[in-house]
Amino acid sequence: MTAAERPRTADAAFETPLTRLVGVRHPVVQTGMGWVAGPRLVSAAANAGALGILASATMPTDRLRSAVREVASRTDAPFGVNLRADAGDAADRVRIIIEEGVRVASFALAPSRELIARLKDAGVVVIPSVGARRHAEKVAAWGADAVIVQGGEGGGHTGEVATGVLLPQVVDAVDIPVVAAGGFHDGRGLVAALAYGAAGIAMGTRFLLTSESTVPDAVKARYLAATVQDVTVTTAVDGLPHRMLRSELVDALERSGRVASLVRAVRHAAAFRRDSGTSWAQMVRDGLTMKHGKELTWSQVLLAANTPMLLKGSMVDGRTDLGVMAAGQVAGLIDDLPSCAELVGRVMAEARATLRALPAPA
């Protein structure tokens, strides 16, 4: 869809604090999934009227700049960039975001007060992702403009509290827009989130399963074949709770011993260093930050090196036997591969129909 073809007006029936804050037409966010949320998917989501977020943690900084420019060449709609707040080069990535005029900075972990201030001074909207009320309260106090709150149903690293419990907690605790994530895939979910007081929904797995997603077809087929029971939470990948599709590899990781896991982690750390352009010194510094911030053991820090490379094995290389597939529980409800335009249009049509079907107030 070209800029000329894309409708520019907001959906008045679903104008929310999120749409006003970032300038998108619909209160829908495509999350910054590593190896998945590249320029093609992000620009397609943005052109569809959602907030597309580019995943940067798996990119060297020079690739990040070129990826941002590629998205900007494909759309004139607002979009964001997701980055790791604990990365040693976070300041360099923030500089690129500011220099390239990116509208939104999204963080996988709570950014520091200083990073938030630097971005806000440059006119960038700051939207961290959190999994607990106390984290939302912290970033709100530090000046974050909005927050994405992910319940336990969400894919990737996740917590134990379900979205339906966590979301109203956070809405009641902060005075900034709250975007709901974890378990959303359709217009009914959008209406439910808005009823809880959210300003919109964020979806990862649902956008992964679109025609513009660059995830290999064989991997998409595994997602489409999955039932809700095929989505599991494991600590075998990096020592932290991680929601993904159950597979032969996950079973093997859970059976492997500590020594084998650590040897594999070191090997994957070396591979990630080559792919991301990160030096060994920087990886050690990032590990120290991670160890302190999450109170991890050194074994868990080493195991964390598994995550990006095991995800790359599936999401880029198409090897479901060698890679893991992060997935929200909602994967078990998805059975098609629409375009982003079709998906967002469907979500909004379903939301309008859901509202019309609600009983009239007495």
Side-chain angles (χ1 to χ4, degrees):
M1 182 184 298
T2 66
E5 295 169 331
R6 180 172 54 82
R8 304 183 67 87
T9 56
D11 188 334
F14 288 93
E15 184 179 350
T16 73
L18 173 69
T19 63
R20 292 190 292 271
L21 177 66
V22 300
V24 294
R25 300 199 313 278
H26 305 303
V28 176
V29 177
Q30 164 256 303
T31 61
M33 300 164 280
W35 306 114
V36 176
R40 191 170 85 175
L41 178 60
V42 172
S43 57
N47 281 328
L51 177 64
I53 298 181
L54 183 71
S56 84
T58 52
M59 299 178 183
T61 52
D62 58 345
R63 171 57 185 149
L64 170 59
R65 190 182 293 276
S66 65
V68 167
R69 291 179 177 178
E70 183 177 348
V71 175
S73 73
R74 292 169 174 258
T75 183
D76 62 352
F79 65 93
V81 169
N82 179 264
L83 59 156
R84 275 180 46 198
D86 62 343
D89 61 355
D92 294 332
R93 293 173 185 269
V94 164
R95 175 174 52 80
I96 292 171
I97 289 172
I98 293 171
E99 290 175 352
E100 296 298 326
V102 174
R103 177 63 178 156
V104 174
S106 165
F107 288 89
L109 298 170
S112 67
R113 190 192 302 265
E114 292 73 25
L115 279 184
I116 292 174
R118 183 179 173 193
L119 286 159
K120 287 173 66 72
D121 287 346
V124 180
V125 175
V126 180
I127 308 180
S129 296
V130 300
R133 181 181 63 184
R134 68 182 185 277
H135 298 151
E137 291 172 331
K138 178 173 69 175
V139 296
W142 287 354
D145 296 291
V147 65
I148 296 174
V149 55
Q150 178 177 304
E153 301 95 321
H157 290 119
T158 193
E160 298 178 351
V161 182
T163 303
V165 175
L166 181 60
L167 176 58
Q169 277 191 317
V170 175
V171 168
D172 291 344
V174 300
D175 294 324
I176 58 177
V178 176
V179 179
F184 296 101
H185 75 292
D186 63 8
R188 294 173 299 175
L190 172 58
V191 172
L194 295 178
Y196 271 121
I201 57 172
M203 302 187 295
T205 305
R206 178 63 276 196
F207 275 103
L208 183 155
L209 293 171
T210 57
S211 59
E212 289 95 352
S213 163
T214 57
V215 172
D217 290 343
V219 178
K220 289 181 180 178
R222 287 290 296 267
Y223 279 92
L224 293 176
T227 68
V228 172
Q229 287 72 34
D230 293 324
V231 184
T232 188
V233 176
T234 182
T235 59
V237 173
D238 57 10
L240 297 172
H242 203 140
R243 187 175 290 285
M244 58 186 59
L245 293 188
R246 169 66 66 182
S247 67
E248 296 83 357
L249 176 60
V250 171
D251 290 340
L253 292 174
E254 290 180 341
R255 290 194 303 267
S256 63
R258 177 176 295 273
V259 172
S261 296
L262 293 179
V263 169
R264 182 177 60 250
V266 171
R267 185 174 70 250
H268 286 155
F272 181 65
R273 184 187 68 83
R274 293 191 300 270
D275 277 11
S276 66
T278 305
S279 68
W280 281 112
Q282 187 62 65
M283 290 187 72
V284 170
R285 287 193 293 270
D286 288 351
L288 287 168
T289 302
M290 183 185 301
K291 183 176 186 296
H292 172 72
K294 295 184 179 178
E295 298 182 353
L296 304 181
T297 66
W298 274 112
S299 294
Q300 288 174 313
V301 171
L302 283 174
L303 284 170
N306 279 331
T307 302
M309 298 315 294
L310 285 177
L311 287 170
K312 180 176 182 287
S314 288
M315 300 302 126
V316 178
D317 303 330
R319 295 292 303 272
T320 58
D321 57 330
L322 298 178
V324 298
M325 294 162 282
Q329 281 185 311
V330 77
L333 304 178
I334 297 172
D335 60 6
D336 65 348
L337 296 171
S339 68
C340 287
E342 291 167 341
L343 171 61
V344 175
R346 180 199 304 171
V347 167
M348 300 312 300
E350 289 170 346
R352 287 187 285 271
T354 300
L355 282 180
R356 288 194 299 268
L358 291 175

